[in-house]
Amino acid sequence: MATPHPSVVHASAQRSFISLSARLTAALGAVLTLLAGTSLPLHAQATVTTTTLAVTSAGNPVSTVTAGTVVTLTATVKAGITAVTPGQVNLCDATAAHCTDIHLLGTAQLTSAGTAAFKFIPGTGSHSYKAVFLGTSADAASSSSVSTLSVTGITPTTTSIAATGVAGNYTLAATVTGTGAVSPTGTVAFLDTSNANYALGSATLGPVASTLSFVTSANPATGPYPSSVAVGDFNGDGIADIVVANYGNLTGGESLTILLGHGDGTFTAEPVSQLLFRHIDHTIGQRGRHIYDRSKPSDRLYSHFHSCGGL
């Protein structure tokens, strides 16, 4: 049997490769044509939404309030004319580049009406707020336009004095601390209280960068072995409260500690009533999916904390 010339074998293999490539190209084209002719989307897009924000107090729209007034920020999210639910909305300081840390006022869940509300007491000064709908797999994220609020009134301050030097050459320094986003301004007078408040002199407060600190610190008591903590406005007064789930000890004793805030860094322990617990359950329990004994409030709260990761 004669052996084919190598060039003939190479030419035959090349023709087979070209023929196979042509068949694969034709098959791929047929698949693409089939996909193009189907009505099934290759990627479902989220529905476009719009978010609006209303600033109210006692149910009325406001742009100016006095210090100490409870204000409610209400976001409304719609897809066309349809209310969006479920979902979460962040209420933010609109002057910040990012809605994180101290610039995140709070997060609220959308109700069946497509609204999410956050109640609080803003500090003295000018504020700008916006609502940010975080979006879901079905509904796209969106943000509201900026809403402004002016809070008028006198901001509480505390003043301390320090002295350095020696007799005949003393230096007095005053430190004035206030609350809110704006540092205190004005003039400090130095008085000799041992000499009928004789005026020694005065000085103008210098500019200083605002910092975060506790104006009043507190260490409220809890039950044995506190295991989880949550913060929220549990009694609806616009002031942050604390609830603690106490694990108890070997003989039992699981309990809740409810600490109602006064807005100045101090708290008062409150007995756990069914009405108050229902408010707590609604405030922090919307995110949890769990099995628990609904007849035991401590079981419900403890389960809420751990299904949400605790703090």
Side-chain angles (χ1 to χ4, degrees), residues 91-192:
L91 288 311
C92 312
D93 173 5
T95 63
H98 304 285
C99 185
T100 56
D101 301 322
I102 62 173
H103 304 298
L104 173 61
L105 304 179
T107 300
Q109 301 283 344
L110 286 172
T111 66
S112 58
T115 60
F118 175 71
K119 185 184 294 185
F120 70 119
I121 299 178
T124 305
S126 298
H127 306 279
S128 297
Y129 305 118
K130 70 176 180 179
V132 179
F133 171 54
L134 301 182
T136 65
S137 58
D139 298 296
S142 59
S143 299
S144 72
S145 57
V146 175
S147 296
T148 59
L149 179 69
S150 177
V151 182
T152 61
I154 299 176
T155 301
T157 62
T158 57
T159 302
S160 60
I161 188 171
T164 58
V166 295
N169 187 22
Y170 283 113
T171 298
L172 302 178
T175 301
V176 181
T177 303
T179 58
V182 181
S183 299
T185 59
T187 302
V188 176
F190 295 90
L191 308 178
D192 184 354

Side-chain angles (χ1 to χ4, degrees), residues 10 30 32 58-59 76 89 130 135 152 182 187 220 228 231 246 260 274 276 286:
H10 176 74
L32 293 176
T76 302
V89 175
K130 70 176 180 179
T152 61
V182 181
T187 302
S228 299
V231 177
N246 304 304
L260 298 183
Q274 288 300 317
L276 181 59
Q286 300 180 68

